[in-house]
Amino acid sequence: MNLTEWIGRTETVTDTFTATPYAALAATLDHPAERPQPGTALPPLWHWLYFLPLYRQSEVGADGHAKRGRFLPPVALPRRMWAGSQFSFHSPLRIGDEVTRTSTIANVSEKEGRSGKLVFVKVKHELRRSGEQAVALTEFHDIVYREAIQPGAPESAPTPTQAPADADWERKVVPDDVLLFRYSALTFNGHRIHYDRRYVTEVEGYPGLVVHGPLVATLLLDLLREHLPEAQVARFEFRALRPVFDIHHFYVCGQREADGSIHLWAKDHEGWLTMDARATLQAVDGGAA
């Protein structure tokens, strides 16, 4: 099957940004969990609490995701990971807004990597408030599919990169089963690598439960909000370089750059870079700094 035939396929979903998911994620990130008032702006990336993938139980695949071939192309490779994303925040999304998300398959490509065949799928999301033509948020989502690990074969991890030695801010994160379960529940993410230890170790060959890439990215921007609470993010992008597992702690770090941007990264317990990200802040006049 020619997977490139899926390029251009679209899907449209409408949702109302209600208060309870916001409060639940705040509690999960160990913040006060008061339900926000209508009109409260969502922190960046918290739109992932909405437009949940409401596929029926009979449509669940072996890995816990929806079976492929509807909106996403029917990639035969079994292992799926969130490889990265790029965002442009045009205007705030707020509690009480009715928002429509239009998703488009922007690209599908096949490559050969160290671990075998890879398929990359790039999805473009555009979010608009009800009744408005202007896009409030543009998101590109990069998905990578990989071959199954062969029995007895060692996991082929990417060549490690040492994380930056100096950070302006750093926070230690201890991921546990409850944190991963709560984030999976909040995002209705059935992917078994995040909660099914037997599946993730015996079928997918990982040493422990995989910490969600979006959760790590959310923690990076949560670190930014902690230290620059008044800053508004205009653009954000991240690349997931290595998986993070619940068997060890990891760190989220940030540093101001000379050009005004914020370099954000995550590193594992050994100091290897696991996620690399950059945030561009909104200038006072409304443009990007």
Side-chain angles (χ1 to χ4, degrees), residues 75-144:
V75 179
L77 304 179
R79 304 172 83 195
R80 168 179 169 172
M81 297 292 288
W82 193 310
S85 288
Q86 308 86 46
F87 305 85
S88 294
F89 299 93
H90 308 294
S91 59
L93 295 166
R94 302 181 183 279
I95 295 298
D97 284 350
E98 183 179 75
V99 182
T100 296
R101 185 188 71 185
T102 301
S103 304
T104 305
I105 304 295
N107 194 39
V108 181
S109 60
E110 300 182 51
K111 298 180 181 178
E112 285 287 337
R114 293 173 60 249
S115 59
K117 184 178 294 185
L118 302 169
V119 174
F120 294 89
V121 178
K122 181 178 281 288
V123 182
K124 179 181 181 181
H125 301 295
E126 292 180 313
L127 277 62
R128 295 176 173 86
R129 282 179 291 273
S130 180
E132 297 184 8
Q133 293 298 317
V135 176
L137 169 61
T138 303
E139 171 185 359
F140 288 92
H141 171 194
D142 298 317
I143 307 167
V144 60

Side-chain angles (χ1 to χ4, degrees), residues 38-51:
T40 301
L42 265 69
L45 304 189
W46 289 35
H47 68 284
W48 285 333
L49 297 171
Y50 307 97
F51 312 109

Side-chain angles (χ1 to χ4, degrees), residues 33-258:
E34 294 88 355
R35 287 172 173 78
Q37 295 299 311
T40 301
L42 265 69
L45 304 189
W46 289 35
H47 68 284
W48 285 333
L49 297 171
Y50 307 97
F51 312 109
L52 301 184
L54 302 179
Y55 46 90
R56 297 169 57 183
Q57 188 66 19
S58 59
E59 298 171 332
V60 176
D63 63 355
H65 274 303
K67 296 175 183 177
R68 302 163 193 168
R70 296 175 59 186
F71 173 63
L72 289 173
V75 179
L77 304 179
R79 304 172 83 195
R80 168 179 169 172
M81 297 292 288
W82 193 310
S85 288
Q86 308 86 46
F87 305 85
S88 294
F89 299 93
H90 308 294
S91 59
L93 295 166
R94 302 181 183 279
I95 295 298
D97 284 350
E98 183 179 75
V99 182
T100 296
R101 185 188 71 185
T102 301
S103 304
T104 305
I105 304 295
N107 194 39
V108 181
S109 60
E110 300 182 51
K111 298 180 181 178
E112 285 287 337
R114 293 173 60 249
S115 59
K117 184 178 294 185
L118 302 169
V119 174
F120 294 89
V121 178
K122 181 178 281 288
V123 182
K124 179 181 181 181
H125 301 295
E126 292 180 313
L127 277 62
R128 295 176 173 86
R129 282 179 291 273
S130 180
E132 297 184 8
Q133 293 298 317
V135 176
L137 169 61
T138 303
E139 171 185 359
F140 288 92
H141 171 194
D142 298 317
I143 307 167
V144 60
Y145 297 90
R146 303 168 59 194
E147 294 180 350
I149 190 170
Q150 298 303 312
E155 169 65 13
S156 178
T159 302
T161 299
Q162 193 70 41
D166 297 322
D168 294 336
W169 323 306
E170 182 174 288
R171 182 196 300 171
K172 182 179 179 180
V173 180
V174 181
D176 61 17
D177 307 54
V178 177
L179 174 64
L180 302 191
F181 167 78
R182 294 178 84 179
Y183 191 77
S184 287
L186 280 168
T187 55
F188 206 58
N189 183 348
H191 200 182
R192 294 169 66 182
I193 64 173
H194 303 304
Y195 61 86
D196 187 335
R197 194 171 304 275
R198 181 175 179 179
Y199 171 84
V200 76
T201 56
E202 296 183 8
V203 177
E204 300 226 8
Y206 293 113
L209 298 177
V210 179
V211 180
H212 314 67
L215 174 58
V216 177
T218 299
L219 287 167
L220 289 176
L221 285 182
D222 189 62
L223 180 74
L224 173 60
R225 290 178 64 219
E226 176 186 352
H227 292 279
L228 297 177
E230 301 302 320
Q232 300 295 318
V233 177
R235 293 191 293 272
F236 179 66
E237 59 181 306
F238 72 87
R239 292 185 302 125
L241 303 176
R242 292 172 64 85
V244 178
F245 306 102
D246 75 321
I247 54 178
H248 296 294
H249 64 269
F250 66 97
Y251 298 90
V252 289
C253 310
Q255 186 174 50
R256 296 173 183 262
E257 299 285 61

